Each structure stands twice: as C-alpha cells, then as structure tokens.
Coordinates of all heavy atoms in Angstrom, one line a residue:
E5 N 91.6 84.5 92.4 CA 90.9 84.1 91.2 C 90.1 85.3 90.5 O 90.1 85.4 89.3 CB 89.9 83.0 91.5 CG 89.4 82.3 90.2 CD 88.7 81.0 90.5 OE1 89.2 80.2 91.2 OE2 87.6 80.9 89.9
R6 N 89.6 86.1 91.3 CA 88.9 87.3 90.8 C 89.8 88.2 89.9 O 89.4 88.7 88.9 CB 88.3 88.2 91.9 CG 86.9 88.0 92.2 CD 86.3 89.0 93.1 NE 87.3 89.9 93.8 CZ 87.4 90.1 95.1 NH1 86.6 89.5 95.9 NH2 88.3 90.9 95.6
I7 N 91.0 88.3 90.4 CA 92.0 89.1 89.7 C 92.2 88.5 88.3 O 92.3 89.2 87.3 CB 93.4 89.1 90.4 CG1 93.2 89.9 91.7 CG2 94.5 89.7 89.6 CD1 94.3 89.9 92.6
L8 N 92.3 87.2 88.1 CA 92.6 86.6 86.8 C 91.5 86.9 85.8 O 91.8 87.2 84.7 CB 92.7 85.1 87.0 CG 93.8 84.5 87.8 CD1 93.7 83.0 87.9 CD2 95.1 84.9 87.2
H9 N 90.2 87.0 86.3 CA 89.1 87.3 85.4 C 89.0 88.8 85.0 O 88.4 89.1 84.0 CB 87.8 86.9 86.1 CG 87.6 85.5 86.2 ND1 87.3 84.7 85.1 CD2 87.6 84.6 87.2 CE1 87.1 83.4 85.5 NE2 87.3 83.4 86.8
S10 N 89.7 89.7 85.8 CA 89.5 91.1 85.6 C 90.7 91.9 85.2 O 90.6 93.0 84.8 CB 88.8 91.7 86.8 OG 89.7 91.6 87.9
A11 N 91.9 91.3 85.3 CA 93.2 92.0 85.1 C 93.4 92.4 83.7 O 93.3 91.5 82.8 CB 94.3 91.2 85.7
D12 N 93.7 93.6 83.4 CA 94.2 94.0 82.1 C 95.7 93.8 82.0 O 96.2 93.5 80.9 CB 93.9 95.5 81.8 CG 92.5 95.7 81.7 OD1 91.8 95.0 80.9 OD2 91.9 96.7 82.2
Y13 N 96.4 93.9 83.1 CA 97.8 93.6 83.2 C 98.0 92.7 84.5 O 97.6 93.1 85.6 CB 98.7 94.9 83.4 CG 98.6 95.7 82.1 CD1 97.6 96.7 82.0 CD2 99.5 95.6 81.1 CE1 97.5 97.5 80.8 CE2 99.4 96.3 80.0 CZ 98.4 97.3 79.8 OH 98.3 98.0 78.7
L14 N 98.8 91.6 84.3 CA 99.0 90.8 85.4 C 100.5 90.7 85.6 O 101.2 90.2 84.7 CB 98.4 89.4 85.2 CG 98.6 88.3 86.3 CD1 98.0 88.8 87.6 CD2 98.1 87.0 85.9
V15 N 101.1 91.2 86.7 CA 102.5 91.2 86.9 C 102.9 90.1 87.9 O 102.3 90.0 89.0 CB 102.9 92.6 87.5 CG1 104.4 92.6 87.8 CG2 102.6 93.7 86.5
I16 N 103.8 89.2 87.5 CA 104.3 88.2 88.4 C 105.7 88.6 88.8 O 106.6 88.8 88.0 CB 104.4 86.8 87.6 CG1 103.1 86.4 86.9 CG2 105.0 85.7 88.5 CD1 102.0 86.2 87.9
A17 N 105.8 88.8 90.1 CA 107.1 89.3 90.7 C 107.4 88.5 92.0 O 107.9 89.1 93.0 CB 107.0 90.8 91.0
T18 N 107.1 87.3 91.9 CA 107.2 86.4 93.1 C 108.5 85.6 93.1 O 109.0 85.3 92.0 CB 106.0 85.5 93.2 OG1 106.1 84.7 94.4 CG2 105.9 84.5 92.1
P19 N 109.1 85.3 94.2 CA 110.3 84.4 94.2 C 109.8 82.9 93.9 O 108.6 82.6 93.9 CB 110.8 84.4 95.6 CG 109.5 84.8 96.5 CD 108.7 85.7 95.6
L20 N 110.7 82.1 93.5 CA 110.4 80.7 93.2 C 110.5 79.9 94.5 O 111.5 79.8 95.1 CB 111.4 80.1 92.1 CG 111.1 78.7 91.8 CD1 109.8 78.5 91.1 CD2 112.2 78.2 90.8
T21 N 109.4 79.3 94.8 CA 109.3 78.3 95.9 C 108.5 77.1 95.5 O 108.0 77.1 94.3 CB 108.6 79.0 97.1 OG1 107.2 79.2 96.8 CG2 109.2 80.3 97.6
A22 N 108.4 76.1 96.3 CA 107.6 75.0 95.9 C 106.1 75.4 95.6 O 105.5 74.8 94.7 CB 107.6 74.0 97.1
S23 N 105.6 76.4 96.3 CA 104.2 76.7 96.1 C 104.0 77.7 95.0 O 102.9 78.0 94.5 CB 103.6 77.3 97.4 OG 104.3 78.5 97.8
T24 N 105.1 78.3 94.5 CA 104.9 79.3 93.4 C 105.4 78.7 92.0 O 105.2 79.4 91.0 CB 105.7 80.6 93.6 OG1 107.1 80.3 93.7 CG2 105.2 81.3 94.9
R25 N 106.0 77.5 92.0 CA 106.4 76.9 90.7 C 105.1 76.6 89.9 O 104.2 76.0 90.4 CB 107.1 75.6 90.9 CG 107.6 75.0 89.6 CD 108.4 73.7 89.8 NE 109.0 73.4 88.6 CZ 108.4 72.8 87.5 NH1 107.1 72.6 87.6 NH2 109.0 72.5 86.4
H26 N 105.1 77.2 88.7 CA 103.9 77.1 87.8 C 102.6 77.7 88.5 O 101.5 77.2 88.3 CB 103.7 75.7 87.3 CG 104.7 75.3 86.2 ND1 104.6 74.1 85.6 CD2 105.8 76.0 85.7 CE1 105.7 74.1 84.7 NE2 106.4 75.2 84.8
L27 N 102.9 78.7 89.2 CA 101.7 79.4 89.9 C 100.7 79.8 88.8 O 99.5 79.8 89.1 CB 102.3 80.7 90.5 CG 101.3 81.7 91.2 CD1 100.7 81.0 92.4 CD2 102.0 83.0 91.6
L28 N 101.2 80.2 87.6 CA 100.3 80.5 86.5 C 100.4 79.4 85.5 O 101.4 79.3 84.7 CB 100.6 81.8 86.0 CG 99.6 82.5 85.1 CD1 98.3 82.8 85.9 CD2 100.1 83.7 84.5
G29 N 99.5 78.4 85.5 CA 99.5 77.3 84.6 C 98.3 77.4 83.7 O 97.6 78.4 83.6
P30 N 98.0 76.3 83.0 CA 96.9 76.3 82.0 C 95.5 76.7 82.6 O 94.7 77.4 82.0 CB 96.8 74.9 81.5 CG 98.1 74.2 81.9 CD 98.6 75.0 83.0
T31 N 95.2 76.2 83.8 CA 93.9 76.5 84.4 C 93.8 78.0 84.7 O 92.8 78.6 84.4 CB 93.8 75.7 85.8 OG1 93.9 74.3 85.5 CG2 92.5 76.0 86.4
E32 N 94.9 78.6 85.3 CA 94.8 80.0 85.6 C 94.8 80.9 84.3 O 94.1 81.8 84.2 CB 96.0 80.4 86.4 CG 96.0 79.8 87.8 CD 96.5 78.3 87.8 OE1 97.1 77.8 86.8 OE2 96.1 77.6 88.8
M33 N 95.6 80.5 83.3 CA 95.6 81.2 82.0 C 94.3 81.2 81.3 O 93.9 82.1 80.6 CB 96.7 80.7 81.2 CG 98.1 81.1 81.7 SD 99.4 80.7 80.6 CE 100.7 80.4 81.7
A34 N 93.5 80.1 81.5 CA 92.2 80.0 80.8 C 91.2 81.0 81.4 O 90.3 81.4 80.8 CB 91.7 78.6 81.0
K35 N 91.5 81.6 82.6 CA 90.7 82.5 83.2 C 91.0 84.0 82.9 O 90.3 84.9 83.2 CB 90.7 82.3 84.7 CG 90.2 81.0 85.2 CD 90.4 80.7 86.7 CE 90.0 79.3 87.0 NZ 90.2 79.0 88.4
L36 N 92.1 84.2 82.2 CA 92.5 85.5 81.9 C 91.7 86.1 80.8 O 91.2 85.5 79.9 CB 94.0 85.6 81.4 CG 95.0 85.1 82.5 CD1 96.4 85.0 81.8 CD2 95.0 86.1 83.7
K37 N 91.5 87.4 80.9 CA 90.7 88.2 79.8 C 91.6 88.2 78.5 O 92.8 88.2 78.6 CB 90.5 89.6 80.2 CG 89.6 89.8 81.4 CD 89.4 91.2 81.9 CE 89.9 92.4 81.1 NZ 89.5 93.7 81.6
R38 N 90.9 88.3 77.4 CA 91.6 88.4 76.1 C 92.5 89.6 76.1 O 93.5 89.7 75.4 CB 90.7 88.4 75.0 CG 90.1 87.0 74.7 CD 89.5 86.9 73.3 NE 88.9 85.6 73.1 CZ 89.6 84.6 72.6 NH1 90.9 84.7 72.4 NH2 89.0 83.4 72.4
S39 N 92.1 90.7 76.8 CA 92.9 91.9 76.8 C 94.0 91.9 77.8 O 94.8 92.9 77.8 CB 91.9 93.1 77.1 OG 91.4 92.9 78.4
C40 N 94.3 90.8 78.5 CA 95.3 90.8 79.5 C 96.7 90.7 78.9 O 97.0 90.0 77.9 CB 95.1 89.6 80.4 SG 96.2 89.5 81.8
V41 N 97.6 91.5 79.5 CA 99.1 91.4 79.2 C 99.7 90.8 80.5 O 99.6 91.4 81.5 CB 99.7 92.7 78.8 CG1 101.2 92.6 78.6 CG2 99.0 93.3 77.6
L42 N 100.5 89.7 80.3 CA 101.2 89.1 81.4 C 102.6 89.7 81.4 O 103.3 89.7 80.4 CB 101.2 87.6 81.2 CG 102.1 86.8 82.2 CD1 101.5 86.9 83.6 CD2 102.3 85.4 81.8
I43 N 103.1 90.1 82.6 CA 104.4 90.6 82.7 C 105.1 89.8 83.8 O 104.6 89.7 84.9 CB 104.4 92.1 83.2 CG1 103.6 92.9 82.1 CG2 105.8 92.6 83.4 CD1 103.2 94.3 82.6
N44 N 106.2 89.1 83.4 CA 106.9 88.3 84.4 C 108.2 88.8 84.7 O 109.1 88.8 83.8 CB 107.0 86.8 84.0 CG 107.5 85.9 85.1 OD1 107.7 86.3 86.2 ND2 107.7 84.6 84.7
V45 N 108.4 89.4 85.9 CA 109.7 89.9 86.3 C 110.2 89.2 87.6 O 111.2 89.6 88.1 CB 109.7 91.4 86.6 CG1 109.4 92.2 85.3 CG2 108.7 91.7 87.7
G46 N 109.5 88.1 87.9 CA 109.9 87.3 89.1 C 110.9 86.3 88.8 O 112.1 86.5 88.6
R47 N 110.4 85.0 88.7 CA 111.2 83.9 88.3 C 110.5 83.2 87.2 O 109.3 83.0 87.2 CB 111.4 82.9 89.5 CG 112.2 83.5 90.6 CD 113.7 83.6 90.1 NE 114.6 84.2 91.2 CZ 115.1 85.4 91.0 NH1 114.9 86.2 90.0 NH2 115.9 85.9 92.0
G48 N 111.3 82.7 86.2 CA 110.7 82.0 85.0 C 109.8 80.9 85.3 O 108.8 80.7 84.7
E49 N 110.2 80.1 86.3 CA 109.4 78.8 86.6 C 108.1 79.1 87.3 O 107.3 78.2 87.5 CB 110.3 77.9 87.4 CG 111.4 77.3 86.6 CD 112.2 76.2 87.3 OE1 111.7 75.7 88.3 OE2 113.3 75.9 86.8
C50 N 107.8 80.4 87.6 CA 106.5 80.7 88.2 C 105.4 80.7 87.2 O 104.2 80.6 87.5 CB 106.6 82.0 88.9 SG 107.6 82.1 90.4
V51 N 105.8 80.7 85.9 CA 104.8 80.6 84.8 C 105.1 79.4 84.0 O 106.3 79.1 83.6 CB 105.0 81.9 83.9 CG1 104.1 81.8 82.7 CG2 104.6 83.2 84.7
D52 N 104.1 78.6 83.7 CA 104.2 77.4 82.9 C 104.3 77.9 81.4 O 103.4 78.4 80.8 CB 102.9 76.6 83.0 CG 102.9 75.3 82.2 OD1 103.6 75.3 81.1 OD2 102.3 74.4 82.6
E53 N 105.6 77.9 80.9 CA 105.8 78.4 79.6 C 105.1 77.7 78.4 O 104.8 78.4 77.5 CB 107.3 78.5 79.3 CG 108.0 79.6 80.1 CD 109.5 79.7 79.8 OE1 110.0 79.0 78.9 OE2 110.2 80.5 80.4
E54 N 104.9 76.4 78.6 CA 104.2 75.7 77.5 C 102.8 76.2 77.4 O 102.2 76.5 76.4 CB 104.2 74.2 77.8 CG 103.6 73.4 76.7 CD 103.7 71.9 77.0 OE1 104.7 71.4 77.5 OE2 102.7 71.2 76.7
A55 N 102.1 76.4 78.6 CA 100.8 76.9 78.6 C 100.7 78.4 78.1 O 99.8 78.8 77.4 CB 100.2 76.9 80.0
L56 N 101.7 79.2 78.5 CA 101.8 80.5 78.0 C 102.0 80.6 76.5 O 101.3 81.4 75.9 CB 103.0 81.3 78.8 CG 103.2 82.7 78.4 CD1 101.9 83.6 78.6 CD2 104.4 83.3 79.1
L57 N 102.8 79.8 76.0 CA 103.0 79.7 74.6 C 101.7 79.4 73.8 O 101.4 80.0 72.8 CB 104.1 78.7 74.2 CG 104.6 78.7 72.8 CD1 105.1 80.0 72.3 CD2 105.6 77.6 72.6
H58 N 101.0 78.5 74.4 CA 99.7 78.2 73.8 C 98.7 79.4 73.8 O 98.1 79.7 72.7 CB 99.1 77.0 74.5 CG 97.7 76.7 74.1 ND1 97.4 76.1 72.8 CD2 96.5 76.9 74.6 CE1 96.1 75.9 72.7 NE2 95.5 76.4 73.7
V59 N 98.6 80.1 74.9 CA 97.6 81.2 75.0 C 98.1 82.3 74.1 O 97.3 83.1 73.5 CB 97.2 81.6 76.4 CG1 96.5 80.5 77.1 CG2 98.4 82.2 77.2
L60 N 99.4 82.5 74.0 CA 99.9 83.6 73.2 C 99.8 83.3 71.7 O 99.3 84.2 70.9 CB 101.4 83.9 73.5 CG 101.6 84.5 74.9 CD1 103.1 84.5 75.3 CD2 101.1 86.0 74.9
S61 N 100.1 82.1 71.3 CA 100.1 81.8 69.9 C 98.6 81.7 69.4 O 98.4 81.9 68.2 CB 100.9 80.5 69.6 OG 100.3 79.4 70.3
S62 N 97.7 81.4 70.2 CA 96.3 81.3 69.8 C 95.6 82.7 70.1 O 94.3 82.7 70.0 CB 95.6 80.2 70.6 OG 95.6 80.4 72.0
N63 N 96.3 83.7 70.5 CA 95.8 85.0 70.8 C 94.7 85.0 71.8 O 93.7 85.7 71.8 CB 95.3 85.7 69.5 CG 96.4 86.1 68.6 OD1 97.4 86.7 69.1 ND2 96.3 85.8 67.4
R64 N 94.8 84.1 72.8 CA 93.9 83.9 73.9 C 94.1 85.1 74.9 O 93.1 85.4 75.6 CB 94.1 82.6 74.5 CG 93.3 82.3 75.8 CD 91.8 82.3 75.5 NE 91.0 82.2 76.7 CZ 90.7 83.3 77.4 NH1 91.0 84.5 77.1 NH2 90.0 83.1 78.6
I65 N 95.3 85.6 75.0 CA 95.6 86.8 75.7 C 96.3 87.8 74.8 O 96.8 87.4 73.7 CB 96.4 86.6 77.0 CG1 97.8 86.1 76.7 CG2 95.6 85.7 78.0 CD1 98.7 86.1 78.0
R66 N 96.3 89.1 75.2 CA 96.8 90.1 74.3 C 98.3 90.0 74.1 O 98.8 90.3 73.0 CB 96.5 91.5 74.9 CG 96.8 92.7 74.0 CD 96.2 93.9 74.5 NE 97.1 95.0 74.5 CZ 97.1 96.1 75.3 NH1 96.2 96.2 76.2 NH2 98.0 97.0 75.1
G67 N 99.0 89.7 75.2 CA 100.5 89.6 75.0 C 101.2 89.4 76.3 O 100.6 89.2 77.4
A68 N 102.5 89.4 76.2 CA 103.4 89.1 77.4 C 104.7 89.9 77.3 O 105.2 90.1 76.2 CB 103.7 87.7 77.5
V69 N 105.2 90.4 78.4 CA 106.5 91.0 78.6 C 107.2 90.1 79.5 O 106.8 89.9 80.7 CB 106.4 92.4 79.1 CG1 107.8 93.0 79.3 CG2 105.6 93.3 78.2
L70 N 108.3 89.5 79.0 CA 109.0 88.4 79.8 C 110.5 88.8 80.1 O 111.3 89.0 79.1 CB 109.0 87.1 79.0 CG 107.6 86.6 78.7 CD1 107.6 85.4 77.7 CD2 106.8 86.4 79.9
E71 N 110.8 89.0 81.3 CA 112.1 89.3 81.8 C 112.9 88.1 82.2 O 114.1 88.0 82.2 CB 112.0 90.3 83.0 CG 113.3 90.6 83.7 CD 114.3 91.5 83.0 OE1 114.0 92.0 81.9 OE2 115.4 91.7 83.6
V72 N 112.1 87.0 82.6 CA 112.7 85.8 83.1 C 112.1 84.6 82.4 O 111.0 84.7 81.9 CB 112.5 85.7 84.6 CG1 113.4 86.7 85.3 CG2 111.1 85.8 85.0
F73 N 112.8 83.5 82.4 CA 112.4 82.3 81.7 C 112.7 81.0 82.5 O 113.6 81.0 83.3 CB 113.0 82.2 80.3 CG 112.9 83.5 79.5 CD1 113.8 84.5 79.6 CD2 111.7 83.7 78.8 CE1 113.6 85.6 78.9 CE2 111.5 84.9 78.1 CZ 112.5 85.9 78.2
E74 N 112.0 79.9 82.1 CA 112.3 78.6 82.8 C 113.8 78.2 82.5 O 114.5 77.7 83.4 CB 111.4 77.6 82.4 CG 110.0 77.8 82.9 CD 109.0 76.6 82.6 OE1 108.6 76.5 81.4 OE2 108.7 75.9 83.5
Q75 N 114.2 78.4 81.3 CA 115.6 78.2 80.9 C 116.3 79.5 80.5 O 115.8 80.2 79.6 CB 115.7 77.2 79.7 CG 117.1 76.9 79.3 CD 117.2 76.0 78.1 OE1 116.2 75.4 77.6 NE2 118.4 75.9 77.5
E76 N 117.3 79.8 81.2 CA 118.1 81.1 80.9 C 119.5 80.8 80.6 O 120.1 80.0 81.3 CB 117.9 82.0 82.1 CG 116.5 82.5 82.3 CD 116.3 83.5 83.5 OE1 117.3 83.7 84.2 OE2 115.2 83.9 83.6
P77 N 120.0 81.4 79.6 CA 119.3 82.4 78.7 C 118.3 81.6 77.8 O 118.5 80.4 77.6 CB 120.4 83.0 77.9 CG 121.5 82.0 77.9 CD 121.4 81.3 79.2
L78 N 117.3 82.3 77.4 CA 116.4 81.7 76.5 C 117.1 81.3 75.2 O 117.8 82.0 74.6 CB 115.3 82.8 76.1 CG 114.0 82.3 75.4 CD1 113.3 81.3 76.3 CD2 113.2 83.5 75.0
P79 N 116.9 80.0 74.8 CA 117.7 79.5 73.7 C 117.3 80.2 72.4 O 116.2 80.6 72.2 CB 117.2 78.0 73.6 CG 116.6 77.7 74.9 CD 116.1 79.0 75.4
A80 N 118.3 80.4 71.5 CA 118.1 80.9 70.2 C 117.0 80.1 69.5 O 117.0 78.9 69.6 CB 119.4 80.9 69.4
G81 N 116.1 80.7 68.8 CA 115.1 80.0 68.1 C 113.9 79.6 68.9 O 113.0 79.0 68.4
H82 N 113.9 80.0 70.2 CA 112.7 79.7 71.0 C 111.5 80.4 70.4 O 111.5 81.5 69.8 CB 112.9 80.3 72.4 CG 111.9 79.8 73.4 ND1 110.6 80.3 73.4 CD2 111.9 78.8 74.3 CE1 109.9 79.7 74.4 NE2 110.7 78.8 74.9
P83 N 110.3 79.7 70.4 CA 109.1 80.2 69.8 C 108.7 81.6 70.3 O 108.0 82.4 69.6 CB 108.0 79.2 70.2 CG 108.8 77.9 70.4 CD 110.1 78.3 71.0
F84 N 109.1 82.0 71.6 CA 108.7 83.4 72.0 C 109.3 84.4 71.1 O 108.7 85.5 70.9 CB 109.2 83.6 73.5 CG 108.4 82.9 74.6 CD1 109.1 82.5 75.7 CD2 107.1 82.8 74.5 CE1 108.4 81.9 76.7 CE2 106.3 82.2 75.5 CZ 107.0 81.7 76.6
Y85 N 110.5 84.2 70.6 CA 111.1 85.2 69.7 C 110.2 85.5 68.4 O 110.3 86.5 67.8 CB 112.5 84.8 69.3 CG 113.5 84.8 70.3 CD1 114.2 83.6 70.7 CD2 113.8 86.0 71.0 CE1 115.1 83.7 71.7 CE2 114.8 86.0 72.0 CZ 115.4 84.9 72.3 OH 116.4 84.9 73.3
G86 N 109.5 84.5 68.0 CA 108.7 84.6 66.8 C 107.3 85.2 66.9 O 106.6 85.4 66.0
L87 N 106.9 85.4 68.2 CA 105.5 85.9 68.4 C 105.5 87.4 68.5 O 106.3 88.1 69.2 CB 105.0 85.3 69.7 CG 104.8 83.8 69.7 CD1 104.3 83.4 71.1 CD2 103.7 83.4 68.7
E88 N 104.6 88.0 67.7 CA 104.5 89.5 67.7 C 103.9 90.1 69.0 O 104.1 91.3 69.2 CB 103.7 90.0 66.5 CG 104.4 89.7 65.2 CD 103.6 90.3 64.0 OE1 102.7 91.1 64.2 OE2 103.9 89.9 62.9
N89 N 103.3 89.3 69.8 CA 102.6 89.8 71.0 C 103.5 89.5 72.2 O 103.0 89.5 73.3 CB 101.2 89.2 71.1 CG 101.2 87.7 71.1 OD1 102.1 87.0 70.8 ND2 100.0 87.1 71.5
V90 N 104.8 89.2 72.0 CA 105.7 89.0 73.1 C 106.9 89.9 73.1 O 107.5 90.1 72.0 CB 106.2 87.5 73.1 CG1 107.2 87.3 74.2 CG2 105.1 86.5 73.2
V91 N 107.2 90.5 74.2 CA 108.4 91.3 74.3 C 109.4 90.5 75.2 O 109.0 90.1 76.3 CB 108.2 92.7 75.0 CG1 109.5 93.4 75.2 CG2 107.3 93.5 74.1
V92 N 110.5 90.1 74.6 CA 111.5 89.3 75.4 C 112.6 90.3 75.9 O 113.3 90.9 75.1 CB 112.2 88.3 74.4 CG1 113.3 87.6 75.2 CG2 111.1 87.3 74.0
A93 N 112.6 90.5 77.2 CA 113.5 91.5 77.8 C 114.8 90.7 78.3 O 115.9 91.3 78.2 CB 112.9 92.2 78.9
G94 N 114.6 89.5 78.7 CA 115.7 88.6 79.1 C 116.8 89.2 80.0 O 117.9 89.3 79.6
H95 N 116.4 89.6 81.2 CA 117.3 90.2 82.2 C 118.1 91.4 81.7 O 119.2 91.7 82.1 CB 118.4 89.1 82.6 CG 117.8 88.1 83.6 ND1 117.3 88.5 84.8 CD2 117.8 86.8 83.6 CE1 116.9 87.4 85.4 NE2 117.2 86.4 84.7
C96 N 117.4 92.2 80.9 CA 118.1 93.5 80.5 C 117.2 94.7 80.8 O 117.6 95.8 80.5 CB 118.4 93.5 79.0 SG 116.9 93.5 77.9
A97 N 116.1 94.5 81.5 CA 115.2 95.6 81.8 C 115.9 96.6 82.8 O 115.5 97.7 82.9 CB 113.9 95.1 82.4
D98 N 117.0 96.1 83.5 CA 117.7 97.0 84.4 C 118.8 97.8 83.8 O 119.5 98.5 84.4 CB 118.2 96.2 85.6 CG 119.3 95.2 85.2 OD1 119.4 94.9 84.1 OD2 120.0 94.8 86.1
N99 N 119.0 97.6 82.5 CA 120.1 98.3 81.8 C 119.7 99.7 81.4 O 119.3 99.9 80.3 CB 120.6 97.5 80.5 CG 121.3 96.2 80.9 OD1 121.8 96.1 82.0 ND2 121.3 95.2 80.0
V100 N 119.8 100.5 82.4 CA 119.5 102.0 82.1 C 120.6 102.8 82.7 O 121.3 102.4 83.6 CB 118.1 102.4 82.8 CG1 117.0 101.6 82.2 CG2 118.2 102.1 84.3
P101 N 120.8 104.0 82.1 CA 121.9 104.8 82.7 C 121.7 105.1 84.2 O 120.5 105.2 84.6 CB 121.7 106.1 81.9 CG 120.9 105.7 80.7 CD 120.1 104.6 81.0
E102 N 122.8 105.1 84.9 CA 122.7 105.3 86.3 C 122.1 106.7 86.7 O 121.4 106.9 87.6 CB 124.0 105.1 87.0 CG 124.5 103.7 87.0 CD 125.8 103.5 87.7 OE1 126.0 104.1 88.7 OE2 126.6 102.7 87.2
Q103 N 122.5 107.7 85.8 CA 121.9 109.0 86.1 C 121.5 109.6 84.7 O 122.1 109.4 83.7 CB 123.0 109.9 86.7 CG 123.4 109.5 88.0 CD 124.4 110.5 88.6 OE1 124.9 111.4 87.9 NE2 124.8 110.3 89.8
Q104 N 120.4 110.2 84.7 CA 119.9 110.9 83.5 C 119.9 112.4 83.9 O 119.4 112.8 84.9 CB 118.5 110.4 83.1 CG 118.5 109.0 82.7 CD 117.2 108.5 82.2 OE1 116.2 109.2 82.4 NE2 117.1 107.3 81.7
H105 N 120.4 113.2 82.9 CA 120.5 114.6 83.2 C 119.5 115.3 82.3 O 119.1 115.0 81.3 CB 121.9 115.2 82.8 CG 123.0 114.6 83.6 ND1 123.2 115.0 84.9 CD2 123.8 113.6 83.4 CE1 124.2 114.3 85.4 NE2 124.6 113.4 84.5

C-alpha cells in the first residue's frame, strides 16, 4: 500500500491468477499519486480497465502505458485510443531489431 501512495511509475508484470485478477482496482487506483504513470506489461486482467479509464479520463493519474488488455486485441474505437495520456502498445513492445549495429 505504501508503494501506491509514493510511486511515480507503477509497473504491473504479474501473471494472471485468481489472486491477481483486478489486482489494481478502484480502491488501489484512488491511492495513486497524480504524477503516477501505470505501466502494464503483465496480463490485462490484472488491472480493472473500467477503473483505469475513469482515473485516466479524469486526469487522476498522469498516464498509462499498456501492452496488455482485458480483451485482446483491443477493439477499434476503444476509449483508450482517444486519451492523450495513454500509450497503447498492444503486444508490440517486443518488435525490435534482433541486432543493432
């Protein structure tokens, strides 16, 4: 809980289990600092997207970088696409050249 109150960046990289589904819900998001950026690279269902949409659209947190979603692929027209404080990576963060010279 201390982490939620003090984190500038909160990275979710957990597998989906019964105990991690909606690990970050409305109660936890209400504790985040306004300057916090949520980064989810774990499983989409670990974050309550409805609650996340609310805190992002009301600028309650600074932003989010989302690699995974509750429904994949993220449907066209999803509200996340219209928010300026959201980066939708959608399972493409690993698309980098195998070797850089």
Side-chain angles (χ1 to χ4, degrees):
E5 190 169 314
R6 259 189 353 231
I7 291 172
L8 297 176
H9 289 289
S10 62
D12 290 316
Y13 294 89
L14 181 62
V15 179
I16 305 296
T18 186
L20 180 62
T21 66
S23 63
T24 63
R25 184 177 189 286
H26 286 183
L27 176 68
L28 197 64
T31 302
E32 294 77 20
M33 288 187 209
K35 297 174 184 176
L36 296 174
K37 292 176 14 175
R38 286 197 180 275
S39 60
C40 185
V41 175
L42 173 68
I43 303 166
N44 189 4
V45 296
R47 292 290 179 250
E49 290 184 16
C50 293
V51 174
D52 180 332
E53 287 184 2
E54 186 176 322
L56 180 59
L57 187 58
H58 174 74
V59 297
L60 289 166
S61 62
S62 62
N63 291 311
R64 176 64 189 85
I65 66 171
R66 187 167 137 206
V69 178
L70 305 172
E71 169 74 5
V72 292
F73 307 94
E74 288 185 290
Q75 180 183 349
E76 294 182 354
L78 192 63
H82 191 283
F84 284 147
Y85 289 120
L87 294 175
E88 290 185 18
N89 57 347
V90 176
V91 174
V92 174
H95 282 305
C96 68
D98 67 339
N99 288 337
V100 295
E102 288 184 39
Q103 295 181 355
Q104 294 183 350
H105 300 282

